Amino acid sequence: MTTEESTTARRESTRARIIEAADRILRSKGPAAVTTRAVAQEAGLQPPALYRLFDDKEALLDAVAEHAFAEYVEGKKLVAATDDPVADLRAGWDAQIGFGLANPSVFALLSTPGRQSPTTEAGLDVLRGRVHRVAAAGRLRVPEQEAVDLIHAAGTGAVHTLLGKPESQRTTAVADALYAAVAATILGDAPALPADDTTAAAVSFRALIHRLPRLSEAERSLMTEWLDRATAE
């Protein structure tokens, strides 16, 4: 191992040590307890060691959230895509509810209003992808962003509601009912024909515009603008 490789290995080892220490504090005492001094003491390091690896407390918390989410995904296995985008959407919902209930402190951190987190954005990107597949299949009856907002809001609310109950009372009934309500709002029973549901047809067509190779980028952009206007309330 070269000197540079040894330095990099030590740096990564120290970084992992700090993240694990912050994770323990976060889970046992909550986000407010994750201070530079507390984390350094828990990790057996001096505070300057943290500053060399993380710009500030927010960067450290983001790293902890990413670490916790990666551990959860590894244990539960990432929900793989199937040939049924609607079933995949529901499986993603169940996975997110499960993560929130299994990691209440991390979930509280990720769902703090106004806080921008790479982990939260990554999760939303996955949701956007799943919603887009439903739209492309002709099963979405509202604009894609509206569906993403409804699912995200309902999922966040479901987890917060369940976490507010004693652990013995945390059944999936509330989450199941919320998903059913959202699904009834955003999903159609079958691929829509224009005569059946013009909004669903427009949403589906918008999701497939990129597959029309003979259109220029300007033409795709204009058509997207028309379809967005057509589906706006």
Side-chain angles (χ1 to χ4, degrees), residues 58-138:
E58 291 302 305
L60 174 58
L61 288 173
D62 285 338
V64 172
E66 183 179 354
H67 168 75
F69 189 70
E71 277 198 338
Y72 178 80
V73 168
E74 183 177 348
K76 295 291 184 180
K77 303 302 180 185
L78 187 63
V79 179
T82 70
D83 292 334
D84 186 342
V86 174
D88 291 346
L89 189 66
R90 175 58 197 260
W93 165 279
D94 290 340
Q96 187 65 17
I97 297 297
F99 173 76
L101 296 180
N103 301 272
S105 295
V106 177
F107 183 81
L109 172 66
L110 293 175
S111 59
T112 300
R115 187 175 189 279
Q116 299 297 318
S117 165
T119 304
T120 301
E121 282 305 310
L124 284 172
D125 281 343
V126 172
L127 175 57
R128 291 184 190 105
R130 293 186 185 279
V131 168
H132 182 74
R133 289 184 63 227
V134 173

Side-chain angles (χ1 to χ4, degrees), residues 21-224:
D23 185 45
R24 289 193 294 271
I25 295 173
L26 175 65
R27 291 176 187 277
S28 61
K29 300 180 181 179
V34 184
T35 65
T36 301
R37 182 180 296 277
V39 173
Q41 183 176 357
E42 178 72 17
L45 300 167
Q46 294 299 316
L50 276 67
Y51 299 130
R52 286 194 291 270
L53 294 168
F54 301 96
D55 292 336
D56 51 28
K57 178 182 175 179
E58 291 302 305
L60 174 58
L61 288 173
D62 285 338
V64 172
E66 183 179 354
H67 168 75
F69 189 70
E71 277 198 338
Y72 178 80
V73 168
E74 183 177 348
K76 295 291 184 180
K77 303 302 180 185
L78 187 63
V79 179
T82 70
D83 292 334
D84 186 342
V86 174
D88 291 346
L89 189 66
R90 175 58 197 260
W93 165 279
D94 290 340
Q96 187 65 17
I97 297 297
F99 173 76
L101 296 180
N103 301 272
S105 295
V106 177
F107 183 81
L109 172 66
L110 293 175
S111 59
T112 300
R115 187 175 189 279
Q116 299 297 318
S117 165
T119 304
T120 301
E121 282 305 310
L124 284 172
D125 281 343
V126 172
L127 175 57
R128 291 184 190 105
R130 293 186 185 279
V131 168
H132 182 74
R133 289 184 63 227
V134 173
R139 296 291 305 277
L140 200 63
R141 60 194 297 182
V142 300
E144 289 183 41
Q145 188 57 51
E146 182 178 339
V148 169
D149 290 342
L150 284 169
I151 294 168
H152 179 63
T156 300
V159 175
H160 279 304
T161 297
L162 291 171
L163 289 176
K165 295 177 175 293
E167 192 167 351
S168 61
Q169 297 178 20
R170 294 175 191 171
T171 69
T172 62
V174 170
D176 291 343
L178 274 172
Y179 184 82
V182 171
T185 300
I186 69 173
L187 299 178
D189 292 334
L193 297 174
D196 299 328
D197 188 333
T198 55
T199 298
V203 169
S204 179
F205 184 43
R206 186 191 187 285
L208 297 170
I209 287 177
H210 68 285
R211 298 187 187 178
L212 304 177
R214 295 188 179 182
L215 294 181
S216 68
E217 286 302 317
E219 289 169 332
R220 288 193 186 92
S221 178
L222 181 59
M223 191 170 292
T224 298

